[in-house]
Every structure is written in C-alpha cells, then in structure tokens.
Amino acid sequence: MEKRGQFTSKFGFIMASIGSAIGLGNLWGFPYKAGMSGGFAFILVYLIFVALVGFPLMICEFAIGRKAKSNQIYAYKKLNKKFAFVGITGTIAVFLILGFYSVLGGWVVNYTVKYATSIFSSANAISAPEEYFNSFVSNEAVALIFLIIFMVLTVIIVIGGIENGIEKSSKIMMPVLFFFLVIVIIRSVTLPGAEKGLEFLFKPDFSKLTPSTMGMALSQMFFSLSLGAGAMITYGSYLSNDDNIQSSSIIVPLLDTLAAILAGIAIFPAVFALGLEPTQGPSLMFITLPAIFNQMHMGNLFGFVFFALVLFASLSSSIALLEIASSFFMEHFKLKRKVIIPIIAAIITVLGIPVALGFGVLGDVKVMGMGFLDLYDFIGEYVLMTFGALATAFLIGWVVKPKEVIDEMEQGGKFKFVGKKYFSFTIKFIAPILIFIVMVMSVTSVF
Ligand code: PFF
C-alpha cells in the first residue's frame, strides 16, 4: 500500500477544506434560498445554525479524522463498532452528490471555454442563452463528453495525491476564486438599479421563517459546509498531530459563509439591475447570468471571470468528493491511487449518465416525482447528509462523549482548546436536539 498522504502546511489544509466547502451550494443555492425565504431573517437563522451546529460538527469531523488517520468508515468503526454505518451512508452520499456535481461541472467547463474563446470578440459569447442551454443539454453526445472532461480533470488532480494534487491545486484555486468574486461584485453593485438586488437578498421578512424554510436552512448549511458526508473526516485524516485544528474549525465555516453571502452580492444586484427575475440552480447560472453578460460592456470578459470562478468552486468540491469516495476502497483493498481513483471515477461517471441525459432523452423519466438531478440531490443532501450530521452529533455527544474530541484537540496539553465548554454543550445538547426538531418539523410540514 502507498504511504498515507499528509497536508504539508496549515494554509494548504485550510485552502483544501474551504475548497471542499465552497461550491455550487454557495453560488446558486444559498443566495436564492436567502432571497426567497426571508432575506436577512433567513441569513440570521443560517448564521445561528452555523454557530450552534456547524462549528461543533466541524471540530468533530476534523478530530475524528485526525485521530483515526483512516477513511471515514474505519474512523466511525474505531470510535464505536455500531456506528460504522454512518461512514457507509456518508460514502453513499458522496457517490450520489458527485454523480450530479460532475454533470453540472461539465456544463461549467463548456461555458468557461465558450467565454474564454470569446473574450476578444465583439459578438456575444452566447447570444441566445436559453436556446444555447437547451440545445446543449439535450444533445446527448455533448452532455456526456463534458461530463467526462470534468471527471478527467478531477481525476488528474486527485491522482496527484494529497500534497501534490489536492493541496497544491487548492492553494491556487481558492485565492483566485475570491479575487474573481470581488471583481464580479464590483461590476454588479455599480450597475444602475443594483439596490433592488441587495434589497431582495437582505431585506428581513420574519414571516417567511416557517418550519420548512428552517429545514432548508439547516440542510443547506450541512451541504455547504460539507458536513455529514465524511468530507472533513477524510481531510482531517491527512493532518499531522502537530497541527492545531481549532483555528481551522473557525476559519472554514466563516469563509464558506462569507463566500455564500458574497455570491449573493455578486449575482442578484446584476439580475435586478437588468430587470430579470431571480431564479436558482441551472437556470440562474446558465440562462439568467449569460443574458446579463450580453447586456454588459465587456460582457464576455466578465462572463469568463465568472465561469472560471464557478469552475474552481466546483472542481475544488469534486476533488474532495472523489477523494472521500475512493479513500475506503484505497485502504481496504490496499490499492494504489492511480489504480483505484480512475475506477471509482468511472463508476460515478456511469451514475452521472442518467443525470446528464435527464435534460434530454430521459427528460420525462421521474422517480418519486423527481428528475435524476433532484433525486440524487434529495437523497444525498437532504436525507443522507442530515442523517450523518445527526448521527455524528449523537455519537460524540452521548456515546463516546465530547472529552474524546477535546483530548484529540489538545494533544496531551500541547494545544489549548479555548472553546471546550462551548463545544461540549453544543455538541451534547444543542446540535442533536436542534437537528432532530428541525427535521421533524420540516418533514411534518410537508404533510
Ligand atoms: N460543499 C459543497 C457545495 O457547497 O457545493 C458540496 C459538497 C462537497 C458536499 C463535498 C459534500 C461534500 F462532501
């Protein structure tokens, strides 16, 4: 078996973890959900969830991973044999999530290339966005080719290993992402009429805080922070005992949340300034935004900057997903990276095919009333990740006890864990109870 990889610097570890966290969830999920579900009221609830649930769970995942120095299934098993299934559900979640993420990533590659090759052209890169999108996604061959291209990019980075693949690429992609985000924000908020977009995003409306919007805020938080699927356990397992995890557990949720809010400030002022309707998901990114770039001076350049940013966000999440999906098989079957990673990537690509074709030939196929993209997202994000987060909070709070995590954080007195009282209290009482109540409320509100 190959030697286990390790992050070589704290900066590299933080960049990789932020890379896993910042992704499509921040760019096209959070801003729209916030705007439609109470603006600042939603953001406030989200921030409270991050502080009371996300932050202590982030500590747990980093610590569980670092202590076990293994994939998530073994890591849960080492803590308590009966909880190995949480590692299994987490692994299933990442297969499903990468199954749809890679399809979307493929579309992003297509748009990035389209804008990059039109920067110096005076004609719009995508002159009729709706037609372009529809014909692109309904062309099976094209949809599959871009899925494969995105997966190959992901494989190339992950095969490089923790230090030379994931850490190195994240150290470049994340700073560039934030820089590009700032450029787009400056352009967006200086358009005449931009205030209406800021109003959409921030104007508080507490009457919109219903059980179902709170449930949405909670699962959005897990998805966005990559919690409940073993992502941070896997990255934490590549940390050495000389690293102090405490600051990373604060910085990662903070920067992820900042990126989600900044994405809203980058997108909605421009949408409203140009008189378009706010949307979310694929149509926001692939139809509404290109329509905006068409009306903008130097729109092709801004289109390129924007899609390059989205590409970095999705790629840095997909490399995390592929690493997590492969790590159990790598360790269990004692296989080399360059053998197992392409195999797992091929399996996930096959899983992605129905999603890719779901916008074309398989457009009419519905499972439980959902298309494949929504189905994978529902099972992976809403069901499995929320379940994984609840099980982890219960396991640490009540079964193995918070002290186990605190000891791992403090390393026999080497480090001082400043927030340990807060951590013990939230992981034992607040996190499991809050997740449970919000889950029950939002499920029962559907019926
Ligand atoms: N956090 C990513 C996003 O916001 O798009 C998605 C994600 C990555 C979820 C890694 C789960 C995961 F393990």
Side-chain angles (χ1 to χ4, degrees):
M1 196 168 65
E2 286 177 346
K3 203 171 148 275
R4 252 187 98 70
Q6 208 173 69
F7 287 105
T8 57
S9 68
K10 192 162 170 185
F11 177 70
F13 168 69
I14 292 180
M15 288 301 113
S17 306
I18 289 174
S20 158
I22 298 178
L24 295 170
N26 304 60
L27 299 176
W28 81 24
F30 180 86
Y32 179 81
K33 287 177 190 166
M36 294 306 276
S37 317
F40 185 70
F42 181 93
I43 297 177
L44 195 66
V45 169
Y46 185 89
L47 292 176
I48 293 173
F49 284 164
V50 171
L52 294 178
V53 183
F55 166 64
L57 271 171
M58 184 76 64
I59 292 182
C60 290
E61 288 212 9
F62 283 155
I64 293 175
R66 208 243 320 251
K67 188 172 164 71
K69 298 215 174 34
S70 70
N71 66 79
Q72 59 165 328
I73 300 181
Y74 286 180
Y76 278 107
K77 200 168 157 193
K78 277 183 203 162
L79 283 177
N80 186 301
K81 274 211 171 61
K82 292 200 189 102
F83 277 76
F85 70 95
V86 187
I88 299 175
T89 54
T91 306
I92 299 173
V94 295
F95 270 78
L96 289 172
I97 294 170
L98 188 52
F100 74 81
Y101 228 84
S102 49
V103 173
L104 305 173
W107 298 351
V108 177
V109 171
N110 178 294
Y111 276 60
T112 312
V113 173
K114 191 89 191 148
Y115 278 101
T117 51
S118 316
I119 291 181
F120 300 109
S121 142
S122 54
N124 287 328
I126 296 173
S127 52
E130 190 154 359
E131 288 75 29
Y132 182 82
F133 180 69
N134 289 336
S135 71
F136 163 66
V137 292
S138 59
N139 181 331
E140 290 78 31
V142 178
L144 293 180
I145 287 171
F146 280 95
L147 159 63
I148 294 170
I149 294 178
F150 183 78
M151 201 49 117
V152 169
L153 288 176
T154 308
V155 167
I156 292 172
I157 300 179
V158 179
I159 280 193
I162 299 305
E163 181 185 344
N164 289 322
I166 294 176
E167 180 171 351
K168 263 204 183 125
S169 63
S170 307
K171 282 202 296 207
I172 302 170
M173 289 196 284
M174 287 305 106
V176 175
L177 183 151
F178 272 98
F179 178 62
F180 280 6
L181 197 54
V182 172
I183 297 182
V184 181
I185 289 178
I186 294 174
R187 174 66 289 208
S188 178
V189 297
T190 50
L191 290 168
E195 331 68 71
K196 283 195 243 91
L198 294 176
E199 203 180 300
F200 168 74
L201 190 62
F202 290 115
K203 193 167 176 220
D205 179 355
F206 284 90
S207 69
K208 293 226 173 99
L209 285 183
T210 60
S212 88
T213 53
M214 297 227 260
M216 192 164 80
L218 191 69
S219 55
Q220 168 70 28
M221 192 265 294
F222 292 141
F223 187 75
S224 190
L225 293 182
S226 310
L227 291 172
M232 300 309 180
I233 296 183
T234 310
Y235 276 5
S237 77
Y238 301 120
L239 276 177
S240 97
N241 290 3
D242 297 328
D243 290 300
N244 186 347
I245 327 178
Q246 188 168 204
S247 53
S248 314
S249 333
I250 298 174
I251 295 172
V252 175
L254 266 185
L255 283 185
D256 181 73
T257 307
L258 179 70
I261 296 173
L262 288 182
I265 302 178
I267 294 171
F268 286 117
V271 171
F272 281 84
L274 296 169
L276 297 169
E277 283 294 313
T279 52
Q280 73 163 341
S283 60
L284 169 68
M285 196 143 286
F286 299 107
I287 298 175
T288 309
L289 291 177
I292 292 172
F293 298 130
N294 285 349
Q295 297 182 43
M296 221 178 233
H297 181 56
M298 298 205 296
N300 290 348
L301 177 65
F302 283 107
F304 167 70
V305 169
F306 181 77
F307 279 102
L309 166 179
V310 182
L311 181 62
F312 284 173
S314 23
L315 203 52
S316 60
S317 293
S318 70
I319 56 179
L321 288 160
L322 184 58
E323 177 67 30
I324 315 162
S326 312
S327 62
F328 167 74
F329 301 95
M330 202 150 40
E331 285 167 23
H332 191 75
F333 298 110
K334 305 197 176 13
L335 290 167
K336 287 207 159 80
R337 268 182 183 272
K338 50 178 195 287
V339 176
I340 193 68
I341 303 257
I343 296 177
I344 300 291
I347 295 173
I348 297 178
T349 306
V350 172
L351 219 60
I353 292 175
V355 178
L357 301 185
F359 291 82
V361 271
L362 298 183
D364 294 329
V365 183
K366 298 268 179 276
V367 184
M368 302 190 312
M370 287 177 264
F372 288 99
L373 172 63
D374 291 339
L375 180 72
Y376 286 20
D377 186 28
F378 176 73
I379 303 176
E381 175 182 349
Y382 290 90
V383 181
L384 295 178
M385 287 183 79
T386 311
F387 167 78
L390 177 60
T392 307
F394 179 73
L395 171 69
I396 300 296
W398 295 92
V399 184
V400 300
K401 304 284 155 62
K403 184 163 181 315
E404 183 109 3
V405 166
I406 295 172
D407 288 347
E408 175 58 33
M409 299 284 288
E410 296 194 320
Q411 293 290 314
K414 189 152 54 167
F415 304 114
K416 192 165 163 42
F417 181 9
V418 184
K420 66 180 159 202
K421 285 217 178 88
Y422 178 82
F423 167 73
S424 304
F425 183 71
T426 46
I427 203 63
K428 202 169 167 110
F429 297 107
I430 311 279
I433 296 171
L434 199 67
I435 302 173
F436 185 73
I437 294 177
V438 175
M439 258 171 62
V440 171
M441 275 186 353
S442 71
V443 171
T444 47
S445 74
V446 177
F447 300 104

